Amino acid sequence: MERQNAVVRQRIRVTGVVQGVGFRPTVYQLATGRNLNGFVGNDSAGVFIELEGAPAAIDDLVAILEAAPPPLAHIDAIQRTDLPVTGEPGFSIASSRQQVGATTFVSPDLAVCADCLRELQDPADRRYRYPFINCTNCGPRFTITMETPYDRPLTTMAPFVMCERCRAEYDDPTNRRFHAQPNACPECGPRIWLERDAKQLRVADAIAETRRLIAAGEIVAIKGIGGFHLACDARNSAAVALLRERKHRTAKPFAMMAADLTTAAASAQIGPAAAALLESPPRPIVLVDKDPESDLAAEIAPGNGQIGIMLPYAPLHHVLLESGDVWVMTSANHAAEPIVKDNEAARLVLAELADALLLHDRAIYVHCDDSVIRMTTEGELPVRRSRGYAPFPVRLPVAVPPMLAVGGELKATFCLADGKEAFMSQHIGDMENLETLDAFTAAVTHMEHLFRIQPELIVADLHPRYLSTRWAEDNFADRVVHVQHHHAHIASVMAENQYTSPVIGFSFDGTGYGTDGTIWGGEVLLGDLDGLARIGHLGAALLVGGDAAVRRPYRMALAHLYATGVGWDRRIPAVAHPTDEERRIVRHQLETGLNAIETTSMGRLFDAVASIAGVRHEISYEGQAAIELEALGTPEADGTYEFDLIEEDGQLVLDPGPVVAAVAGDVTTGTPVGAISARFHRAVASAIVTTAIMLGSRYDVHTAALSGGVFQNVTLLDAARRGLEENGFEVLVHRLVPPNDGGLALGQVALAGRR
Ligand SMILES: [Zn+2]
Ligand SMILES: [Zn+2]
């Protein structure tokens, strides 16, 4: 009987994403509701709790935390330790503490929640139409956090002094805004204004004027959560064309924001899975099929069957867009430079791009582009993992020492890892210029600081000319480990799937530096996280003139036709496209090998086929030819092509010769391009399946892993997965990080961590 009345004291340590997500108020309410004394607080390792009272009440509280944590929390672990009873009465929220040598998580930025949205739209609420409304369940996090623990003075909200009413909410453990660090109202919080020709318009006028300018076909730069967008009316062809002209962006698709799901569904085919994703707290851009009847400007995504659409996530967006509105919302930057995030930079850099600037005075500490996700038949396929997801960690299947992996070159991200947590950075951009390199350096420094990880090991790509590789070697010469590009892709998909047994990996992308100094990109690998080996590859062709061949797919087409022995018949569009002079030069280079390098790239084969079929001969953004070839495919068309599978020097070579010849034959006999596309996709999928069957039985491996930028192609991904599964393979595909180079750093960590 005495035991039941016993009082005990326990320390409870909770780690994971537990700060800035309403964890302390939840604990406060659970504790006071159970007559438990003690306190709860944040430190740099997570949340610490001390509870004193009946053991059953403590058990009950912990069980509820585990079973039903606050909606945005992700609990990693709960540790309990017994302490001596102190007899101190009451329960309180302790002030935040620093703790040395511990990793904490920082929540990603999250879309305005339903409760805040209701208040935002309620004329009687004191935050009616206030563009910075938030609570513990929603709002900016990663982009405003300068330091951990996550506390107002360590965020960019520090300069705003809460008014009495906001302070009362903040201090009230039963309030939804209890310790909501960005808590604010029109009286005390951040403000917006519109700048045009050095004139300023404030608050309500700024919103109305922004809407008027957009309706009139002008372009407005809008400061948001992770940076600026350039906005214009997505139904106004002239406005979208003007934006293309100013951004010097000829064809790469623009993302859009629709006011609500109904509005989005009027322009695109949005299934239930896509709808759920559009409305999820991270609010990514979702790539969906365009409705053929849509009245969106054709200039949004020329040659593309899909459009990228997102829903409002910042309260500012909800105030700006009215039902029926669809606006282009593209990252505001000059081509290839990082997204602009500061007012001063906006005035300098965006002046030529935008007719007006909609600014606010809450600083963005960390830039963070919108995330992009494509839907497959089986679920989500990340194309860019950034706002709303970063810096939430990816769990590694194996523990690694503290390390930094610097990724590749295009679509750069890096990864900081320690133990089993891999913190993938937000999207940084293409590492081709100093601005991006500076942004990269700043982001690395910030995240090392935030997560208190001091890397013992730096992992870089093998490519000697990647800026990221050079950055690693310049800064950490003696601690740099190199990982081959295509190995890293396969390790990336294995790591996110928590898979450590051997796989047959298909690592298909545009370009990566091979261990033999040639350009790889159609690689078949065997192994696990202890090491991968190349056991097969696409048959090589010559990349003529380096980058020129990448920008001009007809050069790759000429090279593949030449390698196959198909004559350069002028009825083949790729042959007819260049001038006689250029054709002569290319032939000379192919014959002599002058300024040409061998490549086994599958991405380049897609380019070649797109050009042979007359789809696209020159590109203005990465992957354009392949994207347009996929978009034109007509799945109902029958037939296929076939790769020759040849054993050569211990490697299985997927010879594309018969495929290239058949495409050339089809195009000269007038076969519709939709059928050529469908047959080509089938041929690649079928080559993957046949290769997996042959090599799988040889090495007794029955798991296939698909990674590399080529697998952003959902037609190919779905067909390959289906074929492999029908033949008894377990198939690893990406769901958390992109198959493109944006996911590379995760694989670098997984492989180097095991060495
Ligand atoms: Zn909220
Ligand atoms: Zn206030």
Side-chain angles (χ1 to χ4, degrees):
M1 280 297 102
E2 206 184 15
R3 249 197 89 60
Q4 278 188 350
N5 297 326
V7 167
V8 298
R9 188 174 185 91
Q10 279 196 338
R11 174 180 298 132
I12 294 157
R13 171 153 284 294
V14 191
T15 50
V17 177
V18 290
Q19 296 187 1
V21 292
F23 212 91
R24 288 173 302 172
T26 303
V27 172
Y28 181 94
Q29 287 178 28
L30 291 174
T32 49
R34 282 165 185 71
N35 288 318
L36 291 167
N37 296 333
F39 53 83
V40 57
N42 280 344
D43 63 17
S44 40
V47 164
F48 58 87
I49 309 169
E50 286 195 15
L51 295 173
E52 189 166 310
I58 298 178
D59 289 346
D60 187 43
L61 183 148
V62 172
I64 290 177
L65 274 187
E66 279 175 332
L72 302 179
H74 292 265
I75 294 177
D76 198 34
I78 297 183
Q79 284 175 337
R80 299 169 68 169
T81 340
D82 289 324
L83 295 175
V85 173
T86 67
E88 271 173 47
F91 193 87
S92 63
I93 310 263
S95 55
S96 295
R97 307 170 181 166
Q98 295 276 1
Q99 176 162 321
V100 180
T103 304
T104 188
F105 296 167
V106 175
S107 167
D109 303 282
L110 296 159
V112 60
C113 73
D115 289 330
C116 286
L117 195 56
R118 209 172 301 122
E119 293 170 352
L120 185 72
Q121 291 160 347
D122 175 4
D125 193 275
R126 71 191 188 94
R127 292 189 180 85
Y128 177 56
R129 292 181 69 78
Y130 178 56
F132 301 93
I133 188 170
N134 67 82
C135 71
T136 48
N137 299 320
C138 72
R141 296 288 188 275
F142 178 48
T143 54
I144 62 166
T145 303
M146 303 186 289
E147 284 262 16
T148 49
Y150 173 69
D151 237 341
R152 190 166 176 116
L154 302 180
T155 71
T156 62
M157 282 302 290
F160 300 95
V161 179
M162 273 184 275
C163 67
E164 259 173 52
R165 294 168 80 181
C166 285
R167 173 51 86 178
E169 295 167 336
Y170 183 90
D171 287 336
D172 174 3
T174 64
N175 194 287
R176 202 173 89 244
R177 297 198 164 87
F178 176 66
H179 282 222
Q181 307 305 344
N183 189 27
C185 77
E187 204 183 305
C188 64
R191 281 146 212 267
I192 56 162
W193 68 93
L194 186 78
E195 284 187 14
R196 191 181 201 206
D197 307 328
K199 285 198 286 279
Q200 292 196 1
L201 274 174
R202 288 201 167 264
V203 198
D205 292 346
I207 298 290
E209 181 65 4
T210 301
R211 292 188 50 78
R212 195 190 65 76
L213 292 175
I214 300 241
E218 301 208 18
I219 296 163
V220 181
I222 298 172
K223 186 177 182 181
I225 299 290
F228 280 76
H229 285 115
L230 289 169
C232 72
D233 181 359
R235 296 194 182 88
N236 184 331
S237 284
V240 180
L242 179 68
L243 181 56
R244 287 212 174 276
E245 194 187 306
R246 289 191 190 164
K247 267 198 108 178
H248 303 293
R249 178 155 150 172
T250 48
K252 194 175 179 187
F254 284 138
M256 287 167 288
M257 183 176 280
D260 47 43
L261 196 56
T262 314
T263 304
S267 299
Q269 290 159 11
I270 298 173
L277 187 57
L278 279 166
E279 292 195 301
S280 67
R283 294 283 154 100
I285 296 166
V286 181
L287 299 179
V288 288
D289 289 337
K290 185 159 59 182
D291 189 321
E293 308 286 296
S294 138
D295 57 356
L296 298 175
E299 291 81 1
I300 298 276
N304 207 309
Q306 294 206 305
I307 51 174
I309 208 152
M310 63 183 149
L311 296 182
Y313 52 90
L316 175 61
H317 303 146
H318 285 278
V319 174
L320 275 170
L321 281 87
E322 293 178 8
S323 193
D325 288 340
V326 188
W327 291 2
V328 166
M329 288 284 257
T330 184
S331 294
N333 54 1
H334 273 296
E337 288 178 16
I339 188 169
V340 172
K341 69 178 177 65
D342 303 319
N343 292 352
E344 269 319 301
R347 290 184 185 109
L348 281 171
V349 176
L350 302 181
E352 307 153 19
L353 300 178
D355 300 302
L357 307 172
L358 184 62
L359 302 176
H360 62 69
D361 55 0
R362 183 175 70 200
I364 298 171
Y365 191 75
V366 173
H367 75 86
C368 203
D369 287 75
D370 296 317
S371 295
V372 184
I373 296 182
R374 203 176 168 185
M375 301 305 297
T376 73
T377 53
E378 308 266 316
E380 304 169 10
L381 179 70
V383 174
R384 183 202 291 158
R385 182 184 185 272
S386 199
R387 180 191 49 75
Y389 299 94
F392 187 67
V394 178
R395 191 106 174 126
L396 294 168
V398 290
V400 301
M403 61 202 292
L404 166 69
V406 298
E409 180 171 61
L410 298 179
K411 304 177 166 69
T413 62
F414 60 86
C415 182
L416 266 179
D418 190 5
K420 287 194 165 184
E421 309 299 347
F423 298 92
M424 291 290 288
S425 77
Q426 75 273 34
H427 169 80
I428 310 283
D430 293 344
M431 294 270 278
E432 295 177 320
N433 54 55
L434 268 181
E435 289 77 7
T436 314
L437 191 65
D438 288 346
F440 183 87
T441 308
V444 168
T445 307
H446 179 57
M447 273 182 50
E448 283 179 355
H449 191 70
L450 218 51
F451 300 123
R452 294 178 170 73
I453 296 177
Q454 278 159 359
E456 293 165 9
L457 206 64
I458 315 296
V459 198
D461 194 270
L462 263 187
H463 202 307
R465 284 198 303 277
Y466 275 3
L467 270 188
S468 59
T469 304
R470 279 160 42 187
W471 181 90
E473 286 167 353
D474 290 350
N475 290 289
F476 309 93
D478 53 331
R479 280 183 284 158
V480 179
V481 172
H482 295 93
V483 168
Q484 200 278 328
H485 196 93
H486 302 93
H487 292 197
H489 274 310
I490 295 304
S492 167
V493 72
M494 291 179 71
E496 73 157 78
N497 282 282
Q498 300 272 309
Y499 198 86
T500 52
S501 301
V503 300
I504 304 225
F506 294 86
S507 196
F508 289 179
D509 68 358
T511 301
Y513 195 82
T515 54
D516 58 3
T518 69
I519 305 294
W520 289 10
E523 312 311 310
V524 186
L525 306 173
L526 171 71
D528 56 27
L529 295 180
D530 287 326
L532 290 153
R534 190 194 205 199
I535 53 169
H537 58 82
L538 184 70
L542 282 173
L543 192 66
V544 178
D547 280 350
V550 178
R551 284 194 309 273
R552 301 177 197 164
Y554 64 85
R555 288 194 167 211
M556 215 53 234
L558 292 175
H560 269 289
L561 291 168
Y562 178 85
T564 308
V566 175
W568 287 2
D569 184 327
R570 301 287 179 94
R571 287 175 304 168
I572 302 172
V575 177
H577 183 77
T579 62
D580 291 348
E581 173 68 9
E582 186 174 5
R583 242 188 338 264
R584 211 159 40 239
I585 294 168
V586 170
R587 180 172 290 278
H588 179 70
Q589 289 179 309
L590 290 169
E591 283 167 355
T592 60
L594 184 77
N595 194 17
I597 183 164
E598 274 202 350
T599 182
T600 53
S601 164
M602 184 61 83
R604 296 289 87 80
L605 180 64
F606 270 79
D607 284 356
V609 167
S611 178
I612 295 170
V615 172
R616 174 139 307 268
H617 305 298
E618 301 183 39
I619 61 164
S620 64
Y621 66 92
E622 199 206 4
Q624 183 179 5
I627 287 169
E628 294 182 5
L629 182 66
E630 184 194 0
L632 289 168
T634 45
E636 62 280 9
D638 61 0
T640 187
Y641 308 128
E642 210 171 327
F643 287 79
D644 262 350
L645 301 186
I646 306 163
E647 302 274 354
E648 206 177 276
D649 306 328
Q651 299 274 314
L652 187 71
V653 177
L654 286 65
D655 177 10
V659 174
V660 169
V663 173
D666 269 356
V667 77
T668 48
T669 54
T671 304
V673 65
I676 295 177
S677 169
R679 288 170 190 174
F680 176 65
H681 281 84
R682 260 174 225 140
V684 178
S686 150
I688 290 171
V689 175
T690 311
T691 300
I693 293 170
M694 282 177 67
L695 298 176
S697 66
R698 182 177 308 169
Y699 296 103
D700 197 24
V701 172
H702 306 283
T703 301
L706 307 178
S707 188
V710 166
F711 289 106
Q712 283 171 175
N713 183 319
V714 166
T715 307
L716 174 66
L717 180 67
D718 281 342
R721 172 168 45 198
R722 211 167 37 242
L724 288 163
E725 283 172 353
E726 281 166 9
N727 284 280
F729 280 86
E730 184 180 350
V731 187
L732 308 181
V733 300
H734 285 280
R735 288 171 198 282
L736 301 180
V737 303
N740 62 46
D741 288 2
L744 204 66
L746 182 68
Q748 292 176 336
V749 156
L751 272 180
R754 293 282 274 183
R755 284 196 191 152

